[in-house]
């Protein structure tokens, strides 16, 4: 698949809400929640007021359509480790998954964070999510877990 990875444009910040919704893991056999779920405060931390100094976002674009995004910011979210570690979110539209775009986005973001002086990045992922394997291949390690989720960290 032909695609390019680039920094998000300020005019594209609103699409992060779409990617936030796409990032919600839905276990097999479960119904999708209403899109309004992203308005809950615990999810708004991922996108509200995006574009501050320590906010980073890369997108994957194919045929002039943004099909995936990876973003990182220091926030008090499910994957929060400390106030010096950005939390990472990644999402690819369903029809573009399993094509290498997620891995390429992840590698580009890890490189960007390293170049900007960060020593590690964290994330939270449902244990059942197929993306756990991609995170492990990218260098993430489980540092905490609860019944449903892993908190993972990648040392940069």
């Amino acid at each position: 698949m032909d695609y390019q990875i680039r920094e998000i444009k300020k005019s594209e910040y609103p699409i992060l809400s779409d990617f936030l919704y796409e990032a919600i893991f839905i276990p097999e056999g479960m119904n999708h929640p209403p899109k309004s779920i992203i308005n809950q405060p615990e999810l708004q931390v991922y996108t509200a007021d995006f574009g501050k100094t320590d906010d980073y976002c890369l997108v994957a674009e194919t045929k002039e359509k943004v099909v995936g995004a990876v973003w990182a910011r220091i926030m008090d979210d499910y994957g929060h480790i400390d106030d010096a570690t950005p939390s990472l979110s990644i999402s690819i539209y369903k029809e573009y998954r399993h094509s290498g775009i997620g891995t390429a986005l992840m590698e580009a973001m890890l490189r960007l964070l390293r170049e900007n002086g960060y020593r590690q990045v964290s994330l939270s992922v449902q244990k059942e999510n197929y993306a756990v394997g991609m995170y492990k291949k990218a260098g993430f390690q489980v540092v905490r877990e609860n019944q449903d989720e892993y908190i993972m960290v990648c040392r940069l």
Side-chain angles (χ1 to χ4, degrees):
M1 178 175 294
D2 190 30
Y3 61 89
Q4 68 165 333
I5 294 176
R6 61 172 175 78
E7 287 189 33
I8 193 170
K9 299 172 187 167
K10 190 171 187 169
S11 63
E12 296 171 324
Y13 289 173
I15 66 172
L16 288 179
S17 292
D18 293 337
F19 285 109
L20 177 60
Y21 182 74
E22 288 291 319
I24 297 171
F25 177 69
I26 311 298
E28 192 73 32
M30 298 288 289
N31 292 327
H32 287 266
K35 185 140 189 195
S36 61
I37 195 169
I38 65 169
N39 296 324
Q40 294 180 356
E42 62 269 22
L43 294 180
Q44 274 296 293
V45 298
Y46 291 93
T47 58
D49 300 322
F50 192 85
K52 294 179 182 172
T53 303
D54 290 317
D55 291 347
Y56 301 91
C57 182
L58 300 172
V59 296
E61 179 180 70
T62 183
K63 299 177 184 167
E64 298 183 27
K65 177 184 178 184
V66 174
V67 299
V70 60
W71 66 102
R73 66 189 327 196
I74 294 176
M75 60 183 151
D76 190 7
D77 69 326
Y78 296 110
H80 182 77
I81 297 294
D82 60 44
D83 292 339
T85 302
S87 295
L88 185 136
S89 303
I90 187 167
S91 178
I92 314 296
Y93 286 136
K94 187 172 253 178
E95 61 269 28
Y96 296 93
R97 293 178 187 165
H98 307 290
S99 64
I101 293 174
T103 298
L105 275 170
M106 177 70 72
E107 289 172 353
M109 179 56 76
L110 295 177
R111 193 169 40 254
L112 178 64
L113 292 172
R114 191 177 307 111
E115 289 167 0
N116 279 280
Y118 292 97
R119 295 175 17 171
Q120 63 184 10
V121 61
S122 66
L123 59 79
S124 171
V125 61
Q126 298 284 86
K127 291 179 176 180
E128 295 178 44
N129 192 326
Y130 68 89
V132 170
M134 178 185 72
Y135 300 145
K136 287 182 178 179
K137 281 173 82 173
F140 282 84
Q141 297 178 324
V142 175
V143 294
R144 286 195 315 254
E145 65 181 279
N146 60 37
Q147 184 175 339
D148 300 319
E149 296 178 320
Y150 293 125
I151 308 303
M152 302 179 83
V153 168
C154 180
R155 310 269 185 246
L156 302 171

